[in-house]
Amino acid sequence: MQLLDRYEEVVGHQEVSRLRQLAERVAGKHVVHVKRRSSAGWFP
Amino acid sequence: MNELGIHARWEVINASPEFYRVTKAFHNGLQGFPVTLKKRDFNLHYEINRENAKQLNLEADVVFVHDPQPVYLPKFTAAGKVGRWVWRCHIDASRPDRSIWKHLEGAFSDYQATIFSMPAFTRPLHIPIFIVPPSIDPLSDKNCAIPETERLQTLTQFEIDPQRPLLLQVSRFDRFKDPLGVIEAYRLLKTYYPEVQLVLAGGPADDDPEGAEVLREVLDRAGEDRDLKVLMLPPNSHREINALQRSATVVLQKSLKEGFGLAVTEALWKAKPVIGGACGGITLQVHDYHTGFLVHSPAGAAYRIRYLLRYSEKRQRMGRTGREFVREHFLLTRHLRDYLTIILCLDQPGTGLLAL
């Protein structure tokens, strides 16, 4: 099962469908996220 | 993103502890605390960014730079390597220390857009500002459904009585999270509900020197009360936190100052009403009589906890409302949709504040 299918079970078909439609318009793009090293804690 | 046909990846900057000492001051300064840094500190920031710009693979259509640490990467990256630069600020930068903002502002001319978590966290800028609240991942260990046996085992592990009401705050031991105020609220409540239990769950944060001092104060204030547990959990305690949140009768996030407050989101997702300090992103999530209550004092918190303990049906209804509220606004899929929209917008540049 694809990850998106698992999300669909939580958020519903419509939300994932909107994601897919939007993604079609930017498909193939290369995106990089840059961050600092992971912080030690997980506490907000 | 990759499953949707977008080639996405993360790069992590490499830096010395000294760099992180300086950028911790940036972090504090951005949130309005007065900080004193020297010219060499700012120069160190430039130099580490220059080195990382050489070492990291930044070739992409869009690069999202998170927080102040790598903010100067565009300055030192060869022209044409990156299509669009976007700076993502995760904290409240609305009232920054002037010297810090002046330093960071120098980087923004190389960006095409910025992202803040909520409108109140922004500053006037000459580039478009997108508003993207953070989110939680409903499939992660921290937020997924867990077996009832695991939940009960966790309670046994921490000597918590599953039959009695449980109040919970999950946060660093930080004065702005007001753990002492939570204890005060609990003590006020204990007069009326002697069976109530309180858990303050936090963990070590090696970049927070004040944490140990606050923890000492909390332990001192907790004293010998067997119904008040102060838990120091290791960084990978996601499932334990999940179990504690699911076991709570009421969750508190009695912060005096807060970023977005994802612990609130997590609790709402587990259908728990939240009593939160009226600050930062908590105000976006906690709505009186719908998903919990906003409070301004320990007495206010105690008063609202008492209400929720007394009216279990209302408590459960507020929990259900909170879960649906998070499903609609604060899950990872909405976050992803916002990012896709931004990527799309960057190909059709506009101006001003655009709330997604």
Side-chain angles (χ1 to χ4, degrees), chain A residues 2-7 10-11 15-16 18-20 22-44, chain B residues 3-13 20 60-64 66 69 137 172 177 202-203 206 234-235 241 263 327 332-333 337 341 344 347:
Chain A
Q2 281 199 316
L3 199 52
L4 275 171
D5 295 331
R6 294 179 61 201
Y7 284 114
V10 180
V11 298
E15 176 69 5
V16 172
R18 284 165 75 187
L19 267 180
R20 290 187 197 280
L22 200 52
E24 273 176 21
R25 298 165 68 184
V26 290
K29 291 222 183 267
H30 289 259
V31 174
V32 173
H33 290 268
V34 187
K35 63 171 186 174
R36 65 187 175 101
R37 68 157 187 232
S38 301
S39 59
W42 46 268
F43 290 89
Chain B
E3 212 172 284
L4 288 165
I6 294 129
H7 309 286
R9 60 194 165 79
W10 285 88
E11 293 282 340
V12 180
I13 59 166
Y20 285 111
D61 297 297
V62 185
V63 175
F64 293 96
H66 293 256
Q69 291 84 358
D137 183 352
R172 292 195 312 272
K177 310 294 182 185
D206 60 2
I241 288 296
R327 192 193 307 276
L332 190 92
T333 40
R337 177 156 45 85
T341 308
L344 198 59
D347 281 340

Side-chain angles (χ1 to χ4, degrees), chain B residues 43-148:
Chain B
N43 286 340
L44 176 67
H45 187 227
Y46 289 132
E47 282 313 308
I48 296 289
N49 274 260
R50 188 198 304 271
E51 287 168 21
N52 277 277
K54 282 185 210 157
Q55 291 162 7
L56 301 177
N57 177 7
L58 297 173
E59 205 158 324
D61 297 297
V62 185
V63 175
F64 293 96
V65 176
H66 293 256
D67 284 327
Q69 291 84 358
V71 72
Y72 268 103
L73 285 177
K75 191 74 78 194
F76 303 113
T77 301
K81 207 171 182 181
V82 172
R84 298 276 191 273
W85 290 95
V86 182
W87 185 55
R88 201 324 176 196
C89 181
H90 291 273
I91 55 175
D92 180 357
S94 58
R95 283 177 290 276
D97 175 274
R98 281 185 65 178
S99 65
I100 300 298
W101 185 254
K102 195 176 165 198
H103 170 70
L104 297 177
E105 213 173 16
F108 298 146
S109 57
D110 293 302
Y111 284 85
Q112 281 69 53
T114 58
I115 304 174
F116 287 84
S117 296
M118 50 190 284
F121 287 1
T122 63
R123 300 266 309 152
L125 292 167
H126 295 294
I127 49 177
I129 299 171
F130 293 92
I131 303 298
V132 178
S135 63
I136 58 167
D137 183 352
L139 303 183
S140 67
D141 279 347
K142 191 93 162 281
N143 298 302
C144 66
I146 56 170
E148 181 66 1

